[in-house]
Amino acid sequence: RDVLTSPWCWQHALLLNRFSQSPSLESSLAEQGYHPAFPAALPYLSAAFRCYTSRAPGRFPAQKHQPGRLKEYYLLNAASLLPVLALEVKDGEDVLDLCAAPGGKAVAILQCACPGHFHCNECDDLRSRWLEQTIESFIPDPLINLITISKLDGRQIGDLQPEFYDKVLVDAPCSNDRSWLFSGDPQQAVLRLMQRKELSSLQFQLLRSAVKALRPGGSLVYSTCTLSKAENSDVINLILSSCRNVMPVDISGMARGVSQEFTFLSGMQQHELLVLPEKGRAWGPMYVAKLKKVSS
């Protein structure tokens, strides 16, 4: 709570844009005490994927959106890259980002690989425009042609496009602890407690849709930015018990590979992790779980 409600503790990571490289940016970051966040201990990670973090709190200046000009970096919470790393997208795969706005994870996926087809979905009108602007700010024209942006209800995509995707990311709507704790409006708090009770049902429906959209042998990653067990492990356990064609995938090796940068809750299952914010490592909260579809 102390870290989440204290902006002077917050840290920001910079995900460099491989499509708009500035030769001086990395040396400038090094001079300011930034270091590469993800080690070579992750063998599947593309050399083009470069993220810098600093132990010290503070915010690097953001770059404004300029039509026709690509940004050089994306500012984000470093923990939000873990779902992308867990997804392990490879060149040529068909990928669905089910709840894609504001677009940071979509940009990160495209730093890792070049999908055969990339479907970014966001049902909310305002957030969908935000997603479009993010893609336009970071991705060059030839690659944009591989991206489809839709405004569908994510719960229906599995029925509309059954067994269509190799990889699916479900970065689900959740009770975002960082923004919810920081807002002190009592009326909003009552509304959010009511929403919180309904979210796990929505998350389960989105996950079930994602499973339908996956090809047999394909994998999905589920993520939230909440500490709520009801929205994290409970939702995953419900999917595992109700979908016989889904099995958990061990991501403990990935967690060990990034353990210098993040603090994880102990006692989690091998297919899940939960990043806990603390001073000097103010990343998270971020829950990540990985599943695989074994049959139709």
Side-chain angles (χ1 to χ4, degrees):
R1 178 181 286 269
D2 285 350
V3 173
L4 290 177
T5 54
S6 306
W8 51 89
C9 291
W10 297 354
Q11 294 157 270
H12 296 86
L14 281 87
L15 176 65
L16 304 197
N17 186 10
R18 67 180 172 125
F19 306 111
S20 175
Q21 293 180 345
S22 161
S24 61
L25 180 58
E26 287 184 85
S27 55
S28 168
L29 287 170
E31 285 166 15
Q32 294 177 61
Y34 283 80
H35 61 274
F38 297 103
L42 301 174
Y44 52 81
L45 195 55
S46 161
F49 187 91
R50 288 170 302 151
C51 176
Y52 281 78
T53 58
S54 168
R55 288 264 181 255
R59 188 184 179 100
F60 204 77
Q63 292 180 310
K64 286 194 169 73
H65 172 71
Q66 294 177 284
R69 185 170 178 184
L70 297 181
K71 292 185 181 182
E72 295 170 355
Y73 55 85
Y74 191 98
L75 288 174
L76 76 178
N77 184 315
S80 66
L81 294 171
L82 294 179
V84 173
L85 300 191
L87 199 60
E88 293 186 57
V89 174
K90 296 178 178 64
D91 288 350
E93 289 183 323
D94 294 319
V95 181
L96 168 63
D97 187 350
L98 195 68
C99 314
K105 292 179 180 67
V107 167
I109 285 170
L110 291 163
Q111 303 304 313
C112 296
C114 181
H117 176 65
F118 191 18
H119 180 178
C120 296
N121 181 68
E122 176 54 56
C123 65
D124 181 86
D125 220 27
L126 190 65
R127 287 173 62 81
S128 182
R129 287 202 292 276
W130 190 3
L131 168 66
E132 285 177 4
Q133 190 176 90
T134 301
I135 297 289
E136 186 187 316
S137 290
F138 285 90
I139 310 304
D141 280 345
L143 203 52
I144 282 185
N145 297 335
L146 301 175
I147 303 169
T148 300
I149 296 178
S150 66
K151 290 191 272 191
L152 300 165
D153 183 333
R155 294 169 290 187
Q156 297 169 356
I157 287 181
D159 290 323
L160 294 169
Q161 296 180 308
E163 302 194 349
F164 194 83
Y165 298 98
D166 302 298
K167 301 279 168 70
V168 179
L169 174 62
V170 184
D171 185 44
C174 68
S175 48
N176 181 326
D177 292 332
R178 192 173 281 260
S179 64
W180 284 27
L181 276 173
F182 196 61
S183 164
D185 183 345
Q187 282 183 308
Q188 254 191 339
V190 173
L191 179 64
R192 282 171 169 170
L193 284 170
M194 289 166 62
Q195 285 177 332
R196 198 166 193 145
K197 290 175 182 171
E198 297 163 7
L199 276 166
S200 56
S201 171
L202 169 63
Q203 291 155 348
F204 174 74
Q205 291 170 55
L206 289 168
L207 260 180
R208 198 167 51 183
S209 174
V211 171
K212 288 180 184 175
L214 264 185
R215 292 181 180 130
S219 52
L220 75 83
V221 167
Y222 173 76
S223 60
T224 73
C225 47
T226 179
L227 299 165
S228 164
K229 182 172 173 284
E231 297 175 52
N232 293 340
S233 300
D234 290 355
V235 174
I236 291 295
N237 290 337
L238 189 56
I239 276 287
L240 287 169
S241 62
S242 61
C243 296
R244 299 267 169 90
N245 59 347
V246 170
M247 61 182 285
V249 177
D250 186 350
I251 56 171
S252 59
M254 183 192 85
R256 281 193 300 275
V258 298
S259 58
Q260 284 185 308
E261 198 70 46
F262 302 101
T263 301
F264 296 111
L265 178 67
S266 58
M268 302 293 281
Q269 300 290 311
Q270 288 186 319
H271 61 274
E272 59 180 357
L273 58 84
L274 179 61
V275 178
L276 300 175
E278 60 176 32
K279 282 182 182 168
R281 290 176 167 190
W283 315 119
M286 179 60 57
Y287 175 80
V288 183
K290 186 169 184 177
L291 307 174
K292 182 174 183 174
K293 187 172 184 176
V294 290
S295 62
S296 295

